[in-house]
Amino acid sequence: MLRQKRVAAIHDISCFGRCSLTVAIPIISAAGIECSAVPTAVLSTHTGGLTGFTYRDLTEDILPIADHWQSLGLEFDAIYTGFLGSFEQIDIVAEFFRRFGNEKNLILVDPVMADNGALYKIFPADFPKGMRKLCEKADVIVPNITEAALMLEEDFKEGPYTKEYIEGLLKRLAKLGCKQIVLTGVYFDESELGAASFDRATGEIHYAAAERIEGYYHGTGDVFGSALLSALVNGRSLTRAAEIAVGFTVGSIRRTKNAGTDIRFGVNFEEGLLKFAGEVK
Ligand code: PXL
């Protein structure tokens, strides 16, 4: 019998709106992986277009959780982190990596902080510098093009993109030190959208694309990151993992679009979980 894999997911819990832990836990679990959670904050909803949300910061709880887990001798096959609310949380997550990261496990950082050319309003202008430092400690990073440009201190470019531009971005990101990069929001024409992946060890660049669906749906980055992480932990190659994650995310967006759901309410990934589980196990 193969030992069951275990992941530590370090994200906030946005109680409504399908992102962060409410997305990571079910997706990772559907892949047959045990998902341990470190909630970094509790919000009534995410901050993307919904106003008046509550925000209880749990920064002070993160290291005591790590202390307790260390006392229990817990180990993880991967550590997965996304939205972080402050520089202090970034430093504490880096400490978590020092304690639980090792040669064998995988650290995946999604530097959630920006989209469509703009840093999210809740973050200070120098936040990308902090996220960049965290990305330097990761094995795999999953930025969108805005986050990539911010971390590289480059101007944001509107799409459609050229392969030359995307491959340049991937190579400049690789200099941060991570082994693999999956860049999201990549498109070369208006009909398709997907991800570009780069493996530093082989130099291979791969594109995973699917139909482009109109509208900015919230939480898709977390659906994508959770699916990618699950596929990697289950031993899929980077290119296959990116294809699985693109397919699962686009299916979730299509279902949501067809239902006419408010784009701020997250995407219907739930009804895709059965198919995803079959692909990823
Ligand atoms: O989907 C990323 C995310 C996670 N958590 C919170 C957010 C966002 C994006 O806006 O606001 C609280």
Side-chain angles (χ1 to χ4, degrees):
M1 269 287 278
L2 277 178
R3 182 183 59 81
Q4 189 186 15
K5 299 281 171 53
R6 180 191 291 138
V7 166
I10 311 175
H11 302 251
D12 67 278
I13 180 155
S14 293
C15 301
F16 175 80
R18 291 186 286 201
C19 68
S20 49
L21 281 180
T22 64
V23 162
I25 295 171
I27 294 175
I28 293 167
S29 300
I33 300 162
E34 176 185 350
C35 186
S36 309
V38 182
T40 55
V42 181
L43 295 85
S44 52
T45 69
H46 59 71
T47 66
L50 295 160
T51 51
F53 50 84
T54 69
Y55 192 122
R56 181 164 308 274
D57 183 72
L58 295 176
T59 304
E60 279 179 24
D61 289 24
I62 303 173
L63 286 180
I65 291 171
D67 291 341
H68 186 212
W69 285 4
Q70 278 186 301
S71 79
L72 296 172
L74 298 182
E75 292 181 10
F76 300 96
D77 296 287
I79 306 168
Y80 168 36
T81 179
F83 179 94
L84 296 171
S86 62
F87 285 103
E88 191 188 357
Q89 283 199 346
I90 291 178
D91 289 343
I92 288 175
V93 168
E95 170 63 17
F96 190 98
F97 291 171
R98 277 190 287 279
R99 295 194 193 187
F100 290 98
N102 59 45
E103 289 296 294
K104 285 181 286 174
N105 63 14
L106 181 152
I107 296 179
L108 188 146
V109 172
D110 181 354
V112 176
M113 60 183 163
D115 210 352
N116 295 318
L119 190 66
Y120 295 148
K121 285 191 200 86
I122 47 166
F123 292 122
D126 54 348
F127 201 68
K129 283 198 171 63
M131 272 299 188
R132 179 190 166 122
K133 272 197 174 161
L134 197 65
C135 284
E136 288 169 0
K137 298 175 174 64
D139 297 304
V140 185
I141 61 169
V142 193
N144 61 34
I145 291 182
T146 308
E147 290 156 350
L150 283 168
M151 289 196 291
L152 294 170
E153 299 184 357
E154 296 177 7
D155 288 337
F156 171 73
K157 276 196 171 65
E158 298 275 355
Y161 300 101
T162 61
K163 283 201 169 165
E164 192 187 10
Y165 175 66
I166 295 301
E167 298 184 10
L169 269 185
L170 287 169
K171 286 177 185 163
R172 291 192 291 282
L173 286 166
K175 290 196 184 129
L176 298 182
C178 38
K179 297 185 191 120
Q180 297 174 320
I181 296 147
V182 181
L183 188 62
T184 59
V186 172
Y187 63 104
F188 302 116
D189 59 54
E190 301 296 339
S191 67
E192 286 196 323
L193 179 69
S197 57
F198 179 62
D199 190 328
R200 224 181 49 191
T202 61
E204 191 187 354
I205 291 177
H206 176 82
Y207 296 95
E211 73 176 293
R212 185 183 167 90
I213 302 168
E214 202 42 48
Y216 170 72
Y217 284 84
H218 200 275
T220 52
D222 295 340
V223 170
F224 181 86
S226 303
L228 182 87
L229 174 92
S230 301
L232 290 173
V233 168
N234 279 350
R236 297 292 176 280
S237 66
L238 183 68
T239 58
R240 181 70 190 124
E243 278 166 6
I244 291 173
V246 166
F248 180 59
T249 307
V250 170
S252 305
I253 297 172
R254 192 182 306 116
R255 239 174 263 121
T256 312
K257 173 104 181 169
N258 290 345
T261 312
D262 188 321
I263 57 167
R264 301 170 302 173
F265 290 3
V267 290
N268 177 352
F269 68 90
E270 295 90 343
E271 290 180 282
L273 280 176
L274 207 58
K275 178 166 173 268
F276 169 72
E279 283 173 352
V280 84
K281 267 188 195 150

